[in-house]
Amino acid sequence: MSKPILLTVDDDPSVSRAVARDLRRRYAEQYRVVRADSGAEALESLQEIRLRGDRVAVLLADYRMPGMNGIEFLERAMDLFPRARRALLTAYADTDAAIEAINVVDVDYYLLKPWEPPEEKLYPVVDQMLETWAAAGDPEIESTRIIGHRWSSQAHEVRDFLARSGMPYHWYTVEEDEGRKLLQAAGATEADVPVLLTAGGDVLRNPSLSQVADKIGLSTTPAEDFYDLIIVGGGPAGLGAAVYGASEGLRTVLVEGRVTGGQAGQSSRIENYLGFPEGVSGGQLTDRARRQASRLGAELLTARRVVGLETHGPKRIVELDDGRRVAAHAVLLATGVSYRRLRADGADDMVGKGVFYGSAATEAEACADQHVVIVGGANSAGQAAMFFSRQARKVTLAVRGPDLERSMSHYLIQQIRGNDRIDVRTCTEVASVHGDGHLEKLVLRDTSGGTEEDVDCGHLFVFIGAAPLTDWLPDELERDEAGFLLTGTDLLDSGRRPAGWAPSRDPFPLETSIPGVFVAGDVRSASVKRVASAVGEGAMAVSLVHQYLAHP
């Protein structure tokens, strides 16, 4: 059982660090301390904590925070953890606010800042709240349980899938007594791990993601054999198309190989997306889009890969990884991109064992007070650095280029520079990774001078490059030199249409060299690699599908 959590939120970084420091000094053996720098960030942390099935014992919130004050935060936090004890941190001039908090959100205490010495003004209050919380009890959230080896890539894959699907779970390792007891109770052995125990008592031994999806109630099989529109890929572009396609009356099915959200769904915080002035996590944004598409009538399949695409007259047929074939009038390819593999000695052997591609929120707890290294210089890497800096002792951002300005948004650069836990190292690459069964050390190389440095590190997150997921597509689909799909006027060579092009018209914008097959998002050649542009292309593609249906 993981430790119950004490969460503190304050927009003043120095105060936030001081509160966390004082709490860890006294309570670290029995409780885990989590800190956040805003109400929105704290709510995201609470949602992640709830997904993991962990418990929150105490919430400490500063009253004066921009965007969402302490009272508003505590009121919303009550919906997630109603039994957690609550305290408001106030200045002497804000005692009226403390009284309001007691009336509005049933705050247990208010603490006047500064509280020095903590032995007299902080610890007695927290002790009392913890005693009250323990006496009242805080039952565990009924959830799926996973048992596996701590450094198992298969177990990590299942945990990540559940978390990104919004399904609560508890994680136990076979190295701990509780994990071994659960294995025995389930009639399983270490040879079967990872083992998944559902809330209903079912046991899955080393399950595939499609088996997990079926068991937790996600759809993996299409309800029909023919649709107006098949969307391949569940990132922002695919979800945007699903929302608009379903809302405009098209029989729409979206097929996603893992879980909807794509790389954007892994982003810890997106602050430049229209309509979210306080920012939004990628998981929250894509979860809303998923629910919106379903409500409007789109069919969403998860953990089901598309492995083939064929043309038969007016029909476009896709083949799924289980052998099923589904047809439609039109197909939209929104498969996105994958991160390029790290070219460092030993890296491939450590995937899922300390080396991760993309942001793995499931590893956040394990990174507490550790040194984390992130490789990459674009927005996704910067967002990950900010996310892991909440709990990690130190975050090193290794950037191959000479600066961040070439590939990262200005707002994110400013946040990173103002975060004293993040160390940016430009002209740096990972030369090799080392460890006995899991990552323990890596070697960083200065590309400008060639010097190398050994760095102790248990977690390495990689965000480099963008490889298009197009290898499975037929050769008739024209690509650029990097493998991204060509569309529209980019297909016209000196005014001539693509070879084999049958219609008398030119290709529509976003249409490929196969009529009726469209592209949206990062997999399109020369696309803008931003969430907003991907969503826009998904919506635009639906309009073009209507034109195609009228003039094939």
mmCIF file with all atom_site columns, all heavy atoms in Angstrom, residues 489-501:
data_model
loop_
_atom_site.group_PDB
_atom_site.id
_atom_site.type_symbol
_atom_site.label_atom_id
_atom_site.label_alt_id
_atom_site.label_comp_id
_atom_site.label_asym_id
_atom_site.label_entity_id
_atom_site.label_seq_id
_atom_site.pdbx_PDB_ins_code
_atom_site.Cartn_x
_atom_site.Cartn_y
_atom_site.Cartn_z
_atom_site.occupancy
_atom_site.B_iso_or_equiv
_atom_site.pdbx_formal_charge
_atom_site.auth_seq_id
_atom_site.auth_comp_id
_atom_site.auth_asym_id
_atom_site.auth_atom_id
_atom_site.pdbx_PDB_model_num
ATOM 1   N N   . THR A 1 489 ? -2.332 20.129 -53.282 1.00 0.00 ? 489 THR A N   1
ATOM 2   C CA  . THR A 1 489 ? -1.487 20.668 -54.353 1.00 0.00 ? 489 THR A CA  1
ATOM 3   C C   . THR A 1 489 ? -0.058 20.131 -54.304 1.00 0.00 ? 489 THR A C   1
ATOM 4   O O   . THR A 1 489 ? 0.655  20.174 -55.315 1.00 0.00 ? 489 THR A O   1
ATOM 5   C CB  . THR A 1 489 ? -1.453 22.206 -54.287 1.00 0.00 ? 489 THR A CB  1
ATOM 6   O OG1 . THR A 1 489 ? -0.982 22.609 -52.989 1.00 0.00 ? 489 THR A OG1 1
ATOM 7   C CG2 . THR A 1 489 ? -2.836 22.800 -54.529 1.00 0.00 ? 489 THR A CG2 1
ATOM 8   N N   . ASP A 1 490 ? 0.387  19.628 -53.150 1.00 0.00 ? 490 ASP A N   1
ATOM 9   C CA  . ASP A 1 490 ? 1.735  19.052 -53.063 1.00 0.00 ? 490 ASP A CA  1
ATOM 10  C C   . ASP A 1 490 ? 1.867  17.799 -53.933 1.00 0.00 ? 490 ASP A C   1
ATOM 11  O O   . ASP A 1 490 ? 2.986  17.344 -54.207 1.00 0.00 ? 490 ASP A O   1
ATOM 12  C CB  . ASP A 1 490 ? 2.072  18.701 -51.612 1.00 0.00 ? 490 ASP A CB  1
ATOM 13  C CG  . ASP A 1 490 ? 2.268  19.941 -50.753 1.00 0.00 ? 490 ASP A CG  1
ATOM 14  O OD1 . ASP A 1 490 ? 2.524  21.016 -51.321 1.00 0.00 ? 490 ASP A OD1 1
ATOM 15  O OD2 . ASP A 1 490 ? 2.147  19.825 -49.522 1.00 0.00 ? 490 ASP A OD2 1
ATOM 16  N N   . LEU A 1 491 ? 0.723  17.237 -54.344 1.00 0.00 ? 491 LEU A N   1
ATOM 17  C CA  . LEU A 1 491 ? 0.740  16.041 -55.188 1.00 0.00 ? 491 LEU A CA  1
ATOM 18  C C   . LEU A 1 491 ? 0.862  16.378 -56.667 1.00 0.00 ? 491 LEU A C   1
ATOM 19  O O   . LEU A 1 491 ? 1.115  15.488 -57.499 1.00 0.00 ? 491 LEU A O   1
ATOM 20  C CB  . LEU A 1 491 ? -0.535 15.220 -54.965 1.00 0.00 ? 491 LEU A CB  1
ATOM 21  C CG  . LEU A 1 491 ? -0.675 14.527 -53.609 1.00 0.00 ? 491 LEU A CG  1
ATOM 22  C CD1 . LEU A 1 491 ? -2.113 14.052 -53.407 1.00 0.00 ? 491 LEU A CD1 1
ATOM 23  C CD2 . LEU A 1 491 ? 0.279  13.350 -53.511 1.00 0.00 ? 491 LEU A CD2 1
ATOM 24  N N   . LEU A 1 492 ? 0.667  17.643 -57.008 1.00 0.00 ? 492 LEU A N   1
ATOM 25  C CA  . LEU A 1 492 ? 0.675  18.038 -58.413 1.00 0.00 ? 492 LEU A CA  1
ATOM 26  C C   . LEU A 1 492 ? 2.109  18.335 -58.852 1.00 0.00 ? 492 LEU A C   1
ATOM 27  O O   . LEU A 1 492 ? 2.751  19.250 -58.331 1.00 0.00 ? 492 LEU A O   1
ATOM 28  C CB  . LEU A 1 492 ? -0.213 19.263 -58.618 1.00 0.00 ? 492 LEU A CB  1
ATOM 29  C CG  . LEU A 1 492 ? -1.683 19.098 -58.170 1.00 0.00 ? 492 LEU A CG  1
ATOM 30  C CD1 . LEU A 1 492 ? -2.447 20.382 -58.412 1.00 0.00 ? 492 LEU A CD1 1
ATOM 31  C CD2 . LEU A 1 492 ? -2.329 17.926 -58.913 1.00 0.00 ? 492 LEU A CD2 1
ATOM 32  N N   . ASP A 1 493 ? 2.600  17.568 -59.786 1.00 0.00 ? 493 ASP A N   1
ATOM 33  C CA  . ASP A 1 493 ? 3.960  17.743 -60.306 1.00 0.00 ? 493 ASP A CA  1
ATOM 34  C C   . ASP A 1 493 ? 3.879  18.492 -61.636 1.00 0.00 ? 493 ASP A C   1
ATOM 35  O O   . ASP A 1 493 ? 3.475  17.926 -62.660 1.00 0.00 ? 493 ASP A O   1
ATOM 36  C CB  . ASP A 1 493 ? 4.607  16.370 -60.502 1.00 0.00 ? 493 ASP A CB  1
ATOM 37  C CG  . ASP A 1 493 ? 6.040  16.474 -61.016 1.00 0.00 ? 493 ASP A CG  1
ATOM 38  O OD1 . ASP A 1 493 ? 6.592  17.584 -60.967 1.00 0.00 ? 493 ASP A OD1 1
ATOM 39  O OD2 . ASP A 1 493 ? 6.570  15.441 -61.454 1.00 0.00 ? 493 ASP A OD2 1
ATOM 40  N N   . SER A 1 494 ? 4.260  19.784 -61.572 1.00 0.00 ? 494 SER A N   1
ATOM 41  C CA  . SER A 1 494 ? 4.188  20.631 -62.769 1.00 0.00 ? 494 SER A CA  1
ATOM 42  C C   . SER A 1 494 ? 2.794  20.620 -63.371 1.00 0.00 ? 494 SER A C   1
ATOM 43  O O   . SER A 1 494 ? 2.609  20.578 -64.598 1.00 0.00 ? 494 SER A O   1
ATOM 44  C CB  . SER A 1 494 ? 5.219  20.172 -63.820 1.00 0.00 ? 494 SER A CB  1
ATOM 45  O OG  . SER A 1 494 ? 6.528  20.234 -63.293 1.00 0.00 ? 494 SER A OG  1
ATOM 46  N N   . GLY A 1 495 ? 1.797  20.634 -62.481 1.00 0.00 ? 495 GLY A N   1
ATOM 47  C CA  . GLY A 1 495 ? 0.410  20.672 -62.946 1.00 0.00 ? 495 GLY A CA  1
ATOM 48  C C   . GLY A 1 495 ? -0.173 19.313 -63.250 1.00 0.00 ? 495 GLY A C   1
ATOM 49  O O   . GLY A 1 495 ? -1.382 19.200 -63.499 1.00 0.00 ? 495 GLY A O   1
ATOM 50  N N   . ARG A 1 496 ? 0.652  18.247 -63.249 1.00 0.00 ? 496 ARG A N   1
ATOM 51  C CA  . ARG A 1 496 ? 0.156  16.907 -63.545 1.00 0.00 ? 496 ARG A CA  1
ATOM 52  C C   . ARG A 1 496 ? -0.318 16.234 -62.260 1.00 0.00 ? 496 ARG A C   1
ATOM 53  O O   . ARG A 1 496 ? 0.310  16.350 -61.213 1.00 0.00 ? 496 ARG A O   1
ATOM 54  C CB  . ARG A 1 496 ? 1.246  16.056 -64.204 1.00 0.00 ? 496 ARG A CB  1
ATOM 55  C CG  . ARG A 1 496 ? 1.634  16.534 -65.609 1.00 0.00 ? 496 ARG A CG  1
ATOM 56  C CD  . ARG A 1 496 ? 2.492  15.488 -66.298 1.00 0.00 ? 496 ARG A CD  1
ATOM 57  N NE  . ARG A 1 496 ? 3.726  15.242 -65.544 1.00 0.00 ? 496 ARG A NE  1
ATOM 58  C CZ  . ARG A 1 496 ? 4.845  15.957 -65.728 1.00 0.00 ? 496 ARG A CZ  1
ATOM 59  N NH1 . ARG A 1 496 ? 4.865  16.952 -66.606 1.00 0.00 ? 496 ARG A NH1 1
ATOM 60  N NH2 . ARG A 1 496 ? 5.933  15.681 -65.033 1.00 0.00 ? 496 ARG A NH2 1
ATOM 61  N N   . ARG A 1 497 ? -1.412 15.490 -62.380 1.00 0.00 ? 497 ARG A N   1
ATOM 62  C CA  . ARG A 1 497 ? -1.978 14.789 -61.227 1.00 0.00 ? 497 ARG A CA  1
ATOM 63  C C   . ARG A 1 497 ? -1.191 13.512 -60.927 1.00 0.00 ? 497 ARG A C   1
ATOM 64  O O   . ARG A 1 497 ? -0.423 13.035 -61.764 1.00 0.00 ? 497 ARG A O   1
ATOM 65  C CB  . ARG A 1 497 ? -3.448 14.456 -61.496 1.00 0.00 ? 497 ARG A CB  1
ATOM 66  C CG  . ARG A 1 497 ? -4.322 15.710 -61.580 1.00 0.00 ? 497 ARG A CG  1
ATOM 67  C CD  . ARG A 1 497 ? -5.672 15.407 -62.157 1.00 0.00 ? 497 ARG A CD  1
ATOM 68  N NE  . ARG A 1 497 ? -6.470 16.633 -62.271 1.00 0.00 ? 497 ARG A NE  1
ATOM 69  C CZ  . ARG A 1 497 ? -7.438 16.820 -63.155 1.00 0.00 ? 497 ARG A CZ  1
ATOM 70  N NH1 . ARG A 1 497 ? -7.748 15.854 -64.000 1.00 0.00 ? 497 ARG A NH1 1
ATOM 71  N NH2 . ARG A 1 497 ? -8.100 17.963 -63.176 1.00 0.00 ? 497 ARG A NH2 1
ATOM 72  N N   . PRO A 1 498 ? -1.389 12.934 -59.719 1.00 0.00 ? 498 PRO A N   1
ATOM 73  C CA  . PRO A 1 498 ? -0.644 11.727 -59.343 1.00 0.00 ? 498 PRO A CA  1
ATOM 74  C C   . PRO A 1 498 ? -0.895 10.582 -60.322 1.00 0.00 ? 498 PRO A C   1
ATOM 75  O O   . PRO A 1 498 ? -1.967 10.473 -60.922 1.00 0.00 ? 498 PRO A O   1
ATOM 76  C CB  . PRO A 1 498 ? -1.192 11.396 -57.939 1.00 0.00 ? 498 PRO A CB  1
ATOM 77  C CG  . PRO A 1 498 ? -1.780 12.660 -57.446 1.00 0.00 ? 498 PRO A CG  1
ATOM 78  C CD  . PRO A 1 498 ? -2.287 13.395 -58.644 1.00 0.00 ? 498 PRO A CD  1
ATOM 79  N N   . ALA A 1 499 ? 0.088  9.733  -60.468 1.00 0.00 ? 499 ALA A N   1
ATOM 80  C CA  . ALA A 1 499 ? -0.059 8.557  -61.323 1.00 0.00 ? 499 ALA A CA  1
ATOM 81  C C   . ALA A 1 499 ? -1.213 7.699  -60.821 1.00 0.00 ? 499 ALA A C   1
ATOM 82  O O   . ALA A 1 499 ? -1.333 7.430  -59.626 1.00 0.00 ? 499 ALA A O   1
ATOM 83  C CB  . ALA A 1 499 ? 1.241  7.752  -61.341 1.00 0.00 ? 499 ALA A CB  1
ATOM 84  N N   . GLY A 1 500 ? -2.071 7.274  -61.765 1.00 0.00 ? 500 GLY A N   1
ATOM 85  C CA  . GLY A 1 500 ? -3.203 6.438  -61.383 1.00 0.00 ? 500 GLY A CA  1
ATOM 86  C C   . GLY A 1 500 ? -4.387 7.202  -60.849 1.00 0.00 ? 500 GLY A C   1
ATOM 87  O O   . GLY A 1 500 ? -5.380 6.589  -60.435 1.00 0.00 ? 500 GLY A O   1
ATOM 88  N N   . TRP A 1 501 ? -4.314 8.528  -60.851 1.00 0.00 ? 501 TRP A N   1
ATOM 89  C CA  . TRP A 1 501 ? -5.426 9.350  -60.337 1.00 0.00 ? 501 TRP A CA  1
ATOM 90  C C   . TRP A 1 501 ? -6.588 9.304  -61.336 1.00 0.00 ? 501 TRP A C   1
ATOM 91  O O   . TRP A 1 501 ? -6.462 9.735  -62.480 1.00 0.00 ? 501 TRP A O   1
ATOM 92  C CB  . TRP A 1 501 ? -4.940 10.784 -60.128 1.00 0.00 ? 501 TRP A CB  1
ATOM 93  C CG  . TRP A 1 501 ? -5.992 11.698 -59.543 1.00 0.00 ? 501 TRP A CG  1
ATOM 94  C CD1 . TRP A 1 501 ? -6.807 12.545 -60.227 1.00 0.00 ? 501 TRP A CD1 1
ATOM 95  C CD2 . TRP A 1 501 ? -6.334 11.846 -58.172 1.00 0.00 ? 501 TRP A CD2 1
ATOM 96  N NE1 . TRP A 1 501 ? -7.641 13.211 -59.367 1.00 0.00 ? 501 TRP A NE1 1
ATOM 97  C CE2 . TRP A 1 501 ? -7.373 12.807 -58.097 1.00 0.00 ? 501 TRP A CE2 1
ATOM 98  C CE3 . TRP A 1 501 ? -5.866 11.257 -56.991 1.00 0.00 ? 501 TRP A CE3 1
ATOM 99  C CZ2 . TRP A 1 501 ? -7.949 13.190 -56.879 1.00 0.00 ? 501 TRP A CZ2 1
ATOM 100 C CZ3 . TRP A 1 501 ? -6.433 11.645 -55.790 1.00 0.00 ? 501 TRP A CZ3 1
ATOM 101 C CH2 . TRP A 1 501 ? -7.470 12.596 -55.733 1.00 0.00 ? 501 TRP A CH2 1
#
